[in-house]
Amino acid sequence: MTFEITSKDNAYIKRAKKILSSSKFRKQENCFLVEGLRMCEEVLKSGNHISECYYTQKFFEKFEDIISCIGKVSEKNFIISEKISKLISDTDTPQGIFCICELPQSVQIRIEEIDRIVLLENIQNPSNLGSILRTCDALGIKNVAISSSGCDVYNPKVLRGSMGAIFRLNICFFENTSQFITSLQNQGFKIYATVPRNDSFIVGQTKFSGKCGIILGNEGNGLSNEALDICFGKITIPMNKDSESLNVAVAAGISIWEIMNRGNKINE
Amino acid sequence: MTFEITSKDNAYIKRAKKILSSSKFRKQENCFLVEGLRMCEEVLKSGNHISECYYTQKFFEKFEDIISCIGKVSEKNFIISEKISKLISDTDTPQGIFCICELPQSVQIRIEEIDRIVLLENIQNPSNLGSILRTCDALGIKNVAISSSGCDVYNPKVLRGSMGAIFRLNICFFENTSQFITSLQNQGFKIYATVPRNDSFIVGQTKFSGKCGIILGNEGNGLSNEALDICFGKITIPMNKDSESLNVAVAAGISIWEIMNRGNKINE
């Protein structure tokens, strides 16, 4: 059965708004909000539990099929007015579909099955985080570990920037960077710290083979000292001397490209 | 001589606000506004004409040297209150220094002296455009050609994202993509269109030598048909089949890295 909501004071809408805007509330309620046709399709494919689906009449008329599919698995379904749609959207021109789904558990990465991993320590900007996740997925990284500090993965801007990658990656979270790196390295991984200047290894001159990974740090302050100290080595993207650094999502792109040996003209 | 401004209705402040927010007004007045210590230092280094400098007392106390240097070349100098500083800033926590400078002319790129070029067609998002310019500068691309359509290069978010690269690059503008590409190709360049799927050349398996360049297109729609039709070839970053595309700034990063042969383990 589908209910109609037209009041902005409706309790469901108030809750959806809070889920959209507050990372603390998302954790407390153990759920997050996704919006847009593509992202809602990804949720459906992922099998995540959907508690509520909200859609406009206009969206329904265009995409009856997807509403019908979501309706079968969603606990509650609501038609909302265009005005309400704008209230619970993170964009200026919402498509008119929203799902509230359960937060996935932090997965246990099965170390024995993987040979590449990307670690993110305290990334602050949601567009950067989303873009890095999108890149990992596109370039074949399956496993990403994210520090509990930093931007929330279920922030609407991260979800949008990730273009659904969030539903395809194995994502785990870590509290203590050096402990986490140590445990990986004890299991045979070489973890490289990505740094902006002259350091032991130059990306592009280093051959990455066997179990290995990289860790990227905060936009302003880079990696923590504990991360730098414990890593197997440091890697650098050589830069023009007047440039201080690359955007972290671009640096991630080039580093991931290299650790996946995509630039390796000989082996491909 | 330095004047003090405390009223938000001051004509200079009203003008500065308009320069900050309107691309049309920037063109009309032939100027743009830069903010922050680092960017203002870059303006100073670049030799761009500075018509006005605005700074807070707090900034002056911390950075008297730079204020003194700018004061020598700036036509007019103003002390402003913290409140006014927020009014003409694009950030939530302004550092308290702003310069208004002349728009650089679109440079004539001296084709005979260069062997790499990056073309940008209709990039819309200022963070992407800023990030691409920052990457070009960091990886050694000196010449960038930007279509007149798309995001304004002197948008405050582009300036900030470029981290000053805007002052170090040779930037020229073009109106007609196919004419511009044709003229480059007539002068011996191979221009590659970057596309998201299966196309003639795979980045990472292609050797880039001699005069060459890439063109990147709009975030949503990619390159125009005229660009695709006229280019020497198309290049693709191979991706996981579920991923539709990379963020354009990340795709630019990897493509530029490759055309600069930075991943070439043999030659470096």
Side-chain angles (χ1 to χ4, degrees), chain B residues 177-190:
Chain B
T177 306
S178 66
Q179 266 179 22
F180 189 76
I181 295 175
T182 303
S183 85
L184 285 172
Q185 295 192 150
N186 285 344
Q187 291 170 87
F189 274 81
K190 290 175 184 165

Side-chain angles (χ1 to χ4, degrees), chain B residues 20 26 32-34 39 90 120 123-134 146 150-167 169 171 173 219:
Chain B
L20 179 74
R26 288 192 287 272
F32 66 112
L33 184 144
V34 300
M39 289 296 282
D90 187 54
L120 305 175
I123 303 289
Q124 287 295 340
N125 179 304
S127 304
N128 286 340
L129 182 54
S131 176
I132 295 172
L133 297 174
R134 181 178 177 187
I146 303 178
C151 177
D152 179 25
V153 176
Y154 301 100
N155 174 306
K157 286 186 180 54
V158 177
L159 295 174
R160 197 159 68 247
S162 88
M163 296 286 272
I166 200 128
F167 299 110
L169 295 167
I171 296 178
F173 299 96
E219 288 88 343

Side-chain angles (χ1 to χ4, degrees), chain A residues 134 138 238 240 245 257-258, chain B residues 134 138 238 240 245 257-258 262:
Chain A
R134 180 178 177 186
N240 174 0
S245 61
W257 175 252
E258 286 292 327
Chain B
R134 181 178 177 187
N240 176 356
S245 62
W257 175 253
E258 286 292 327
R262 293 299 183 95

Side-chain angles (χ1 to χ4, degrees), chain A residues 38 131 134-135 137-138 203-206 238-240 243-247 250 254 257-258 262-263 265 268, chain B residues 38 131 134-135 137-138 203-206 238-240 243-247 250 254 257-258 262-263 265 268:
Chain A
R38 169 127 196 235
S131 175
R134 180 178 177 186
T135 304
D137 182 47
V203 168
Q205 294 177 18
T206 307
M239 282 181 297
N240 174 0
S243 309
E244 265 183 27
S245 61
L246 287 161
N247 166 281
V250 174
I254 295 170
W257 175 252
E258 286 292 327
R262 292 298 182 98
K265 294 175 182 59
E268 285 206 0
Chain B
R38 168 121 199 240
S131 176
R134 181 178 177 187
T135 303
D137 181 48
V203 169
Q205 293 177 16
T206 307
M239 281 181 296
N240 176 356
S243 311
E244 265 183 27
S245 62
L246 286 160
N247 165 282
V250 173
I254 294 170
W257 175 253
E258 286 292 327
R262 293 299 183 95
K265 291 171 186 61
E268 285 207 2

Side-chain angles (χ1 to χ4, degrees), chain B residues 80-189:
Chain B
I80 54 173
S81 63
E82 294 290 331
K83 225 169 94 185
I84 299 288
S85 169
K86 284 201 175 178
L87 272 183
I88 60 172
S89 171
D90 187 54
T91 70
D92 292 331
T93 52
Q95 290 182 284
I97 181 155
F98 307 84
C99 287
I100 292 183
C101 11
E102 207 172 317
L103 279 186
Q105 301 294 313
S106 173
V107 299
Q108 201 63 30
I109 289 177
R110 267 177 284 176
I111 292 298
E112 61 280 6
E113 294 172 12
I114 67 166
D115 65 357
R116 290 290 182 278
I117 188 165
V118 168
L119 281 62
L120 305 175
E121 188 190 47
N122 202 15
I123 303 289
Q124 287 295 340
N125 179 304
S127 304
N128 286 340
L129 182 54
S131 176
I132 295 172
L133 297 174
R134 181 178 177 187
T135 303
C136 286
D137 181 48
L139 298 185
I141 295 279
K142 294 264 168 281
N143 299 280
V144 180
I146 303 178
S147 68
S148 317
S149 61
C151 177
D152 179 25
V153 176
Y154 301 100
N155 174 306
K157 286 186 180 54
V158 177
L159 295 174
R160 197 159 68 247
S162 88
M163 296 286 272
I166 200 128
F167 299 110
R168 293 186 293 269
L169 295 167
N170 298 325
I171 296 178
C172 77
F173 299 96
F174 60 87
E175 292 285 337
N176 182 309
T177 306
S178 66
Q179 266 179 22
F180 189 76
I181 295 175
T182 303
S183 85
L184 285 172
Q185 295 192 150
N186 285 344
Q187 291 170 87
F189 274 81

